[in-house]
């Protein structure tokens, strides 16, 4: 990532095994031993420090500098995560999430269209803001309430919003990749949005197939084409314009609108009258409208953006070198704009929306405490995992272990890297439960392999993050969340078996796209 080599080019199989040991430890501990991301990440960190010092010449100063950088990189991503959780719970406590789903489900009694609207488009819309298992946790019970089988509800929702994961959670996975690699964000955004756009069509087909098989896919071909084109196209345009924070959010929102218009025009209406939704649609979505406006203002009104970016947190760091000659240049830790960061913008939107909801009497007493408790419970779990994983990744980078592993793997994979990169990303997300974690652990590795083999790093990293986005839907950690809210606790094995085949097909689709871009 930030390193330059003074080491020789000879890499032994033993060096490769040792360099891979921290990553393998994390993956095995999370799958076989069922450790959480915090414990597994800490174990990987310890192994990285020990192996780095023993075999790769890491000094205490090298480790210290790596961890200062890791702290700032983690804080950059966590600022977004905590703010996104705050926004979600502000809306949810007001009844906004439930009201949005009511408006969607009241459009039509056609179950196939209901499923596409909720599991594919609405879950993707939620992923654009919050993520971290929330879309499945929210949407699956709504689908069950509409009469869908719990297994179908969880499997379909988990898989259908995978295309929105990288630019979802206000682009936290995208920012994580920028934090641990040297890729140009604009060069990276375009191929990533392209591959995820290809995946969007696949996710829609999977959603229809889960509900009605190939007959359902055939019957829903036109809405899948229309909604998929809208979601993929809007995400690509927003990502290309540098609006990464709202790319998935915008794509999901337009997908809901296009699907709703199609349902209103073509799908059969309910035979019996239904109760009116509990909240007007404009009020339910006001937080997201505020967020969109704020992001547009900060992005395009440059004096405002410059003013908010005046206060930045960072630290100057010295050049360091291992005893074997691996060098890391002097520089600054990643700057964090205290008032202009994406996390700050989301926080402003959450506070403004809370004022609107409170003024209109949407909250019950004690709401502030409830929101704080829910944000804390959710945020703490993410925080520990991010800190541990980023800390380990930066030790690997600053000791030359990532470079060693990349050079070794490059010799094994060769020109087939574009076909393999999505599966590496999916493996990391499957094991850690997070596209963000997968990008942190494997992003630097894939960047090094791309450079060694002569591929454009942005394309390979796009394949990595697209694979990680889809792989996160197969992660046991995500399936547990869905199972817990759908009454399927203890049946995660069944869910995994049901999702695995679909997931592999989606990954093959992304691999084909990556090979096309890399040709």
């Amino acid at each position: 990532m930030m390193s330059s080599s003074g080491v020789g080019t000879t890499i032994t199989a033993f060096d490769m095994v040792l360099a891979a040991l921290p990553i393998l430890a994390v993956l095995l501990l999370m799958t076989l031993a069922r450790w959480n991301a915090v414990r597994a990440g800490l174990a990987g960190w310890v192994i990285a420090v020990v192996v780095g010092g023993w075999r790769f010449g890491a000094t205490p100063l090298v480790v210290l500098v790596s961890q200062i950088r890791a702290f700032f990189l983690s804080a950059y991503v966590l600022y977004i995560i905590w703010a996104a959780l705050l926004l979600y719970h502000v809306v949810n406590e007001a009844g906004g999430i439930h009201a949005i789903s009511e408006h969607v489900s009241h459009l039509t009694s056609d179950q196939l269209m209901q499923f596409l609207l909720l599991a594919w488009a609405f879950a993707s819309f939620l992923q654009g803001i919050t993520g971290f298992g929330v879309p499945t946790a929210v949407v699956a019970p709504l689908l069950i309430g509409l009469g869908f089988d719990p297994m179908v509800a969880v499997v379909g929702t988990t898989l259908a919003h995978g295309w929105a994961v990288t630019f979802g959670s206000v682009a936290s996975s995208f920012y994580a990749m920028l934090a641990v690699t040297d890729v140009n964000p604009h060069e990276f955004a375009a191929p990533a949005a392209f591959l995820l756009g290809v995946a969007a069509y696949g996710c829609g087909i999977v959603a229809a197939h889960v509900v009605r098989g190939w007959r359902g896919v055939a019957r829903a071909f036109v809405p899948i084409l229309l909604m998929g084109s809208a979601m993929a196209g809007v995400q690509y345009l927003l990502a290309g314009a540098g609006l990464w924070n709202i790319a998935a959010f915008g794509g999901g929102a337009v997908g809901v609108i296009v699907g709703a218009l199609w349902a209103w025009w073509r799908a059969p209406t309910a035979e019996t009258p239904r109760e009116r939704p509990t909240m007007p649609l404009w009020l339910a979505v006001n937080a997201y409208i505020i967020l969109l406006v704020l992001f547009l203002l900060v992005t395009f009104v440059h004096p405002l953006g410059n003013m908010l970016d005046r206060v930045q947190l960072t630290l100057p760091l010295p050049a360091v070198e291992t005893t074997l000659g691996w060098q890391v240049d002097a520089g600054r830790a990643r700057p964090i704009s205290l008032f202009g960061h994406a996390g700050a913008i989301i926080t402003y939107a959450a506070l403004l929306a809370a004022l609107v909801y409170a003024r209109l009497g949407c909250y019950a007493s004690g709401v502030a405490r409830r929101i704080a408790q829910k944000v804390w419970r959710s945020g703490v779990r993410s925080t520990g995992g991010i800190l541990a994983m980023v800390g380990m990744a930066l030790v690997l980078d600053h000791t030359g272990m990532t470079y060693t592993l990349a050079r070794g793997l490059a010799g094994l994979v060769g020109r087939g890297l574009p076909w393999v990169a999505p599966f590496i990303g999916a493996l990391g997300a499957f094991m850690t439960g997070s596209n963000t974690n997968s990008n942190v652990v494997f992003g630097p590795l894939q960047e090094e392999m791309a450079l060694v083999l002569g591929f454009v790093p942005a394309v390979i990293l796009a394949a990595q993050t697209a694979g990680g986005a889809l792989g996160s839907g197969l992660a046991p950690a995500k399936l547990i969340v869905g199972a817990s809210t759908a009454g399927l606790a203890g049946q995660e094995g069944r869910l995994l078996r049901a999702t695995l085949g679909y997931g592999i097909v989606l990954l093959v689709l992304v691999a084909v796209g990556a090979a096309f871009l890399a040709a």
Side-chain angles (χ1 to χ4, degrees):
M1 174 182 110
M2 298 164 252
S3 307
S4 58
S5 176
V7 235
T9 56
T10 303
I11 295 173
T12 67
F14 185 57
D15 288 332
M16 280 185 61
V17 170
L18 289 177
L21 197 57
I23 297 174
L24 292 174
V26 168
L27 302 183
L28 293 175
L29 288 172
M30 291 193 71
T31 52
L32 300 182
R34 300 181 183 274
W35 285 22
N36 60 34
V38 178
R39 293 178 64 197
L42 286 174
W45 181 87
V46 170
I47 294 171
V49 171
V50 171
V51 172
W54 167 59
R55 182 70 177 183
F56 293 88
T59 64
L61 181 59
V62 168
V63 174
L64 175 62
V65 169
S66 77
Q67 295 314 285
I68 294 174
R69 276 203 170 97
F71 175 80
F72 276 86
L73 297 181
S74 299
Y76 192 90
V77 175
L78 288 169
Y79 199 170
I80 298 171
I81 291 175
W82 281 82
L85 290 169
L86 173 64
L87 180 66
Y88 169 76
H89 287 295
V90 161
V91 179
N92 191 46
E93 282 293 321
I97 298 297
H98 181 67
I100 295 169
S101 68
E102 284 182 326
H103 282 279
V104 172
S105 63
H106 278 59
L107 282 168
T108 176
S109 60
D110 183 340
Q111 284 206 318
L112 184 55
M113 276 308 302
Q114 286 179 349
F115 199 84
L116 290 176
L117 279 166
L118 289 171
W120 188 25
F122 183 54
S124 299
F125 172 80
L126 289 179
Q127 178 66 38
I129 297 298
T130 176
F132 311 105
V134 168
T136 302
V138 170
V139 173
L142 297 176
L143 289 169
I144 294 169
L146 290 171
F148 290 94
D149 178 83
M151 187 69 65
V152 169
V154 175
V155 170
T157 305
T158 300
L159 292 168
H161 73 274
W163 70 274
V165 170
T166 290
F167 291 104
S169 308
V170 201
S172 58
S173 297
F174 181 84
Y175 281 113
M177 183 71 85
L178 300 183
V180 297
T181 67
D182 284 329
V183 68
N184 180 292
H186 297 281
E187 294 175 0
F188 171 48
F194 172 80
L195 294 179
L196 292 163
V198 171
Y201 292 102
C203 290
I205 292 171
V206 165
H209 190 274
V210 167
V211 182
R212 294 288 185 268
W214 288 113
R215 184 175 299 178
V217 173
R219 187 160 72 84
F221 176 78
V222 175
I224 288 174
L225 181 63
L226 293 175
M227 294 169 67
S229 297
M231 292 190 288
V234 169
Q235 177 171 263
Y236 185 87
L237 290 174
L238 291 174
L243 298 172
W244 313 307
N245 304 307
I246 59 172
F249 162 69
V254 173
V256 170
I257 294 170
V258 171
L261 290 173
W262 175 266
W264 172 77
W265 182 48
R266 292 294 302 271
T269 56
E271 296 178 1
T272 58
R274 300 181 181 180
E275 294 182 4
R276 293 176 63 85
T278 55
M279 180 183 290
L281 183 59
W282 71 266
L283 181 57
V285 301
N286 93 90
Y288 306 113
I289 295 173
I290 292 171
L291 180 65
L292 177 61
V293 171
L294 289 179
F295 270 128
L296 290 174
L297 286 174
V298 172
T299 302
F300 294 109
V301 181
H302 298 297
L304 175 61
N306 294 336
M307 180 186 70
L308 293 175
D309 283 335
R310 283 179 183 172
V311 180
Q312 301 215 4
L313 305 179
T314 185
L315 278 179
L317 295 171
V320 291
E321 182 176 352
T322 68
T323 58
L324 299 182
W326 180 261
Q327 303 165 355
V328 179
D329 296 333
R332 287 186 170 272
R334 186 175 187 87
I336 301 172
S337 175
L338 194 59
F339 301 108
H341 188 279
I345 309 304
I346 302 166
T347 302
Y348 304 151
L351 295 177
L352 290 172
L355 289 175
V356 174
Y357 286 130
R359 187 172 181 81
L360 295 177
C362 298
Y363 288 134
S365 61
V367 65
R369 175 178 292 184
R370 288 195 303 276
I371 290 174
Q373 289 174 341
K374 290 177 179 179
V375 171
W376 175 260
R377 284 197 296 266
S378 303
V380 165
R381 290 195 294 268
S382 301
T383 298
I386 292 292
L387 287 170
M389 294 295 178
V390 174
M392 181 191 75
L394 268 291
V395 172
L396 296 176
D397 178 78
H398 280 55
T399 57
M401 295 166 71
T402 297
Y403 176 82
T404 298
L405 187 56
R407 286 296 301 267
L409 287 176
L412 298 176
V413 174
R415 300 301 298 176
L417 180 60
W419 292 92
V420 176
F423 289 91
I424 295 176
L427 176 65
F430 175 83
M431 301 302 186
T432 65
S434 166
N435 185 22
T436 297
N437 286 346
S438 179
N439 286 348
V440 167
V441 174
F442 289 121
L445 171 66
Q446 299 244 40
E447 182 181 40
E448 291 286 359
M449 286 195 292
L451 291 170
V452 169
L453 293 168
F455 289 105
V456 176
V459 171
I460 300 304
L461 292 178
Q464 151 70 34
T465 196
L470 297 171
S472 67
L474 310 176
K478 291 285 183 68
L479 295 176
I480 290 171
V481 173
S484 65
T485 61
L488 295 175
Q491 300 187 49
E492 292 82 10
R494 284 183 61 205
L495 289 171
L496 180 58
R497 289 192 295 272
T499 57
L500 196 56
Y502 287 118
I504 291 174
V505 171
L506 291 173
L507 288 169
V508 170
L509 189 63
V510 169
V512 172
F516 169 76
L517 291 178

